[in-house]
Amino acid sequence: MHIVLDESAMAAAGQGNVLASRLIHRAHAEADWHLYAPTCALVEADRGRPGTAEHLAALPGVTVVDLDLPAALAVARQETWALAHAAHTAQPTPDRPTGAIVATTVPQQWEGQPVRVLDLTP
C-alpha cells in the first residue's frame, strides 16, 4: 500500500487524528505499507502548524519526497506547490505501477485531479 500525505493529512496527524495515526502506525509496523511526505506539502503543513515537518520527518515509516526536476516541473504548472507535489508523488512509477493514494482531510480539493483519495475526516 502506497499512500501520499497531503498537507491537511500531515496537520491532522499532528493534531491527533486517529485515522492518520493508524496510517503512520501501519507504515512503521508493516513492510508493505509506505507513507510519503512530499516536501512542498510538508512545508505548507509546517507553516500552518509549526513543528509538523520535524515530527513527520523523524518518523521511521514516513519517506520524505524531495523536489527533484520532474516534480519541480509539475509544481511549476500548478497554482499550489503542496497540491502539485502531492499529486506528482501519487502518479505511477516503476516502483508503484498503480500509483499511490492521497490521504487528506479535505477531499473536495482533489476533485478533478487524476488521483485516488483516502478521506481521513473523522
Side-chain angles (χ1 to χ4, degrees):
M1 180 68 63
H2 297 274
I3 299 175
V4 176
L5 300 171
D6 77 356
E7 67 181 280
S8 71
M10 293 179 197
Q15 296 171 330
N17 179 294
V18 174
L19 298 173
S21 295
R22 285 181 187 163
L23 288 177
I24 291 167
H25 173 74
R26 295 213 51 188
H28 175 68
E30 298 183 31
D32 59 340
W33 278 71
H34 307 277
L35 284 184
Y36 303 96
T39 53
C40 292
L42 195 59
V43 167
E44 287 304 315
D46 197 72
R47 285 181 180 168
R49 184 172 168 78
T52 299
E54 290 89 356
H55 174 72
L56 284 171
L59 296 173
V62 176
T63 301
V64 176
V65 180
D66 293 332
L67 186 64
D68 60 7
L69 180 58
L73 295 174
V75 165
R77 294 184 200 110
Q78 300 296 322
E79 258 183 62
T80 67
W81 288 29
L83 186 76
H85 198 191
H88 176 76
T89 303
Q91 297 308 304
T93 66
D95 294 340
R96 300 184 308 267
T98 60
I101 299 167
V102 175
T104 184
T105 61
V106 190
Q108 62 273 17
Q109 81 176 355
W110 290 98
E111 290 176 7
Q113 294 289 329
V115 297
R116 295 171 290 157
V117 172
L118 174 62
D119 186 355
L120 299 182
T121 305

